Structures are given as C-alpha cells and as structure tokens.
Amino acid sequence: MVPVARRMDLEDYYPRDLIKDLGKQGFLTPSAPPEYGGPGIDLRGGSAVVVEELSRYSPTLGFITEIVNDNIVYALLRYGNNRQREEILPKVASGEWVASYALTEPCCGSDAAAIETRAEKRGGGEWIINGRKIWITQGAYADIYLLFARTGPREARHRAITAFLVRRNDCVEVSRLEMMGMRGGAGEAEIKFNDCVVSDDDVLGNVNEGGFRIAMVTLDLARIGISAVALGLSQGVLDEALEWAKTRTAFGKPPLIDWEWIQFQLADIKARLEIGRTVTYKAAWLYDNKDPSFVLYASIAKLYTAQMAVDIARDGVQILGGFGYSKESFSERAYRDAKVLEIAEGTNEIQKMVIHKILMRGLPEVEL
C-alpha cells in the first residue's frame, strides 16, 4: 500500500488493482456476509479495526472503504431486495464494481432534505432521473451509484426522497474535481444524470420517505467509519514523528526525542489519539449491541476525531520541520487529507446540532 498511496497522491491515480486486492482479502466490504463475498464481521471489526489500519498508511483507501462498507453495503443489506443483494453486493465486495454514494448536490450539502435531483414515474414501472450531484466520492470511477432523488413536491422535503440504484451508462455525465486531499482513490466528481431510466426494481427501500431514512442511518454509521479514518491517519503521523525524533539531531545535541518539549508534544498526541479511539470504539460497540445511543456517540466521535486529526497532522508537520512540509513525508499528505474529515459525513457543525438535539429531545428513533 505505501508506494501506491504515494503515487495516488502525486499522480491523482486510482488503484483499481489494489481495490480488487482489498476485495479479495475481505477488507473492502468487511460487513458483507460470506454469501455475498465479505467476511461478515461486526462494525467494530469492519468500520473500526479495518478502516483504522488502512488509514494508518493510506487515509484515502480507508476513506474509500468506510464509504463502501457503511454507506453502500449497509443500505443494500438492510433495504435491498434479493436481486439487488445477490447481483450487486458480490461485485462490490470483490472490487469488480466501484460503488458510489450520490447524495450531495450543488444546492445543498448539509441540508440533504432540500435536494433537487428528480425521479419522475412513467408507465411500465420506469423512473426518469434528472439532476446534478457534487463532491461524490469515487464518482469518477463508479460503475453503480446509490442515488437519492426527489419523488414528490419540494415542500415535502424529507418525506419525498427515494433511493435508487443507477448503473453508469451514456446518461451519466462525469466531471472530475481537483481536491486538496484524499487524491487519487477518492475520485471526487460532479455527476449529471440526464434522463437516466431505472425500474421499480432499482428502488432501494420505500418510495418517498424511505430514501431519507436510508441516507440518515447510513450517515450515522459512516460517522463511526470516518472517525476510524481519523484514528489511522493520526497514528500514521505519530509513527513518523516518533521515528524522526529518535534519529534527528539539532545544535550538536542528542536526538530530538531527548528534548522535553518534543517528549511532551508526542505524549499529548498519544493522549488525544487514545481518547478518540476510546469514543470511536464505544460508538461501534453500542451499535453492535443494538443500543440506540450509538447515534449520540457516533456524532461525538466524529466531531472529536476530525478536529483531533487536523491538530495532530499539523503537529506532526511541525515536529518534522522542513521534511514535514515536503511531499516526501506522510504527515504532509495527512495534513491535507485530514481537513475533509471535518466536512464529509456531516460537518463539525452538523455534529454539534445532532448532539444538541439529543440533549434537548432525547435519542431519535433508529433502526437497529
């Protein structure tokens, strides 16, 4: 992974072969059951352990895995019909198909209930989809999209949104987007859907309100997964900073590791990392044990670890000095990659809104 991760960043290269290798080893969709090509492990094993370890060396690959596992696999397992699960899941799990989660639009990021992409029903059980999506991870390379579209009046908001599975074909227009971090594998894109035809059999869950429910539940899970990306990224920064401090000398004195301020900085990084790891794994444990309070802890974990990762990456660059500012270091890439963790799967501000609502109104009803 290490040399490929560097190439992904420098060349904006998508490692299709490496994605397939992750699929063969069960790391791409760890929550998928064996009958669909995955190992079928719980959320702690999938969105915590696997994603964290991948992100320790390539935050982008960890980011891809959490989106595919938490957004796509969960939706298919929970809301898909037999044909969808049997036809699509094995292809996604093996890496044969690239799957993408198409929710965000130019009009509305955090306000998902305001999306404008429309799906109009016509005779013969067909739907016609028109609209634009933006900042879609793996959108540039996707073979299939889990797409959310409006199927009722705009004023109905979340009560008129439906989820569809859309295969890529000539009706899909893709424009690559140049991003600050998570380069290569993330494949961020703007997607235009121009009179795309799907059938009733491509609907995921119930028409209208079922789509918004799928989006919200998958985002709750993805907040645990993206917290694990933050953990792995931060651990990679700490690994590099520790090794550097053990060998780097300055002013003719012993290595940096013998300087008290470096010791304190490394200790502080480790302390923050373990706090983040504890709350992230607790959130996953609560979900695995069907405790609805996982929603609260998922938002706490996401809020804390996203901020933590940005701070730790900055500290790592500072410890490494000039080397940390160069593209030769992991910390430089991690610093750019970390910023999206404060934005994706619900911004920091959205997490504070969720936490506040739970404080005021109690836990929401969730499907476990």
Side-chain angles (χ1 to χ4, degrees):
M1 286 174 52
V2 174
V4 177
R6 178 169 166 75
R7 181 184 175 192
M8 287 165 60
D9 181 63
L10 294 176
E11 302 177 15
D12 208 10
Y13 163 72
Y14 187 73
R16 194 65 182 258
D17 290 341
L18 185 55
I19 298 294
K20 290 181 179 179
D21 285 342
L22 289 173
K24 290 176 184 177
Q25 297 184 57
F27 294 143
L28 186 59
T29 58
S31 293
E35 60 266 31
Y36 299 123
I41 55 182
D42 61 15
L43 199 69
R44 279 175 294 170
S47 281
V49 175
V50 170
V51 171
E52 179 180 347
E53 287 302 304
L54 291 175
S55 303
R56 187 173 179 175
Y57 304 98
S58 172
T60 304
L61 287 175
F63 188 50
I64 290 171
T65 298
E66 78 78 8
I67 288 174
V68 173
N69 190 64
D70 300 333
N71 293 113
I72 309 295
V73 171
Y74 176 86
L76 285 168
L77 286 175
R78 189 62 183 266
Y79 299 100
N81 58 40
N82 288 334
R83 181 200 67 80
Q84 291 167 348
R85 287 193 292 266
E86 292 170 3
E87 176 185 320
I88 297 169
L89 258 181
K91 290 183 172 64
V92 173
S94 67
E96 178 184 347
W97 281 8
V98 174
S100 187
Y101 185 84
L103 175 62
T104 302
E105 299 187 3
C107 69
C108 26
S110 296
D111 187 9
I115 62 172
E116 298 175 346
T117 294
R118 294 199 62 85
E120 302 282 352
K121 187 73 179 284
R122 72 180 184 185
E126 290 185 335
W127 297 81
I128 309 299
I129 298 175
N130 284 281
R132 297 167 63 201
K133 300 290 182 178
I134 200 166
W135 318 126
I136 304 305
T137 302
Q138 293 204 115
Y141 311 108
D143 299 293
I144 190 165
Y145 300 90
L146 173 54
L147 175 140
F148 297 86
R150 184 161 300 286
T151 47
R154 187 172 182 178
E155 55 269 22
R157 288 181 58 81
H158 67 277
R159 293 184 296 277
I161 294 175
T162 303
F164 296 88
L165 293 166
V166 182
R167 287 293 309 275
R168 186 168 182 169
N169 56 45
D170 292 341
C171 74
V172 179
E173 183 181 342
V174 175
S175 299
R176 284 289 307 275
L177 298 171
E178 188 75 15
M179 308 302 287
M180 170 181 170
M182 297 292 181
R183 289 169 51 79
E188 301 290 335
E190 179 181 8
I191 316 292
K192 293 182 181 179
F193 296 89
N194 304 308
D195 291 327
C196 292
V197 179
V198 297
S199 72
D200 284 337
D201 202 33
D202 295 312
V203 173
L204 203 66
N206 299 323
V207 173
N208 289 327
E209 194 168 353
F212 192 75
R213 180 181 295 274
I214 293 171
M216 294 301 101
V217 173
T218 53
L219 285 173
D220 284 334
L221 294 179
R223 285 164 187 162
I224 299 173
I226 205 165
S227 297
V229 175
L231 297 178
L233 180 154
S234 299
Q235 184 65 59
V237 170
L238 177 57
D239 293 342
E240 184 176 56
L242 187 59
E243 287 305 308
W244 176 265
K246 288 178 179 178
T247 58
R248 177 68 169 176
T249 59
F251 304 105
K253 295 184 178 180
L256 292 182
I257 197 70
D258 291 337
W259 293 54
E260 187 178 71
W261 75 271
I262 290 288
Q263 296 170 1
F264 284 3
Q265 201 162 16
L266 292 170
D268 187 57
I269 289 173
K270 178 63 174 175
R272 284 180 286 168
L273 177 54
E274 290 305 325
I275 292 169
R277 186 171 280 133
T278 298
V279 71
T280 299
Y281 277 75
K282 179 170 183 176
W285 181 86
L286 288 168
Y287 175 80
D288 289 336
N289 285 274
K290 301 188 181 302
D291 188 325
S293 65
F294 93 88
V295 175
L296 172 61
Y297 281 87
S299 282
I300 292 172
K302 202 276 185 186
L303 174 64
Y304 179 84
T305 60
Q307 295 172 330
M308 173 203 77
V310 172
D311 291 342
I312 288 177
R314 183 187 62 242
D315 290 346
V317 169
Q318 191 69 22
I319 291 170
L320 270 61
F323 178 67
Y325 194 63
S326 77
K327 289 189 179 294
E328 298 296 320
S329 73
F330 175 85
S331 295
E332 183 274 338
R333 171 159 43 95
Y335 198 10
R336 288 183 286 108
D337 289 348
K339 184 56 192 175
V340 77
L341 305 179
E342 295 188 306
I343 300 170
E345 312 295 19
T347 63
N348 289 13
E349 292 74 21
I350 288 294
Q351 304 319 308
K352 292 176 183 179
M353 289 173 60
V354 171
I355 294 166
H356 176 259
K357 285 181 180 179
I358 292 174
L359 284 173
M360 299 300 293
R361 306 176 191 173
L363 291 166
E365 291 186 11
V366 294
E367 298 180 14
L368 293 167

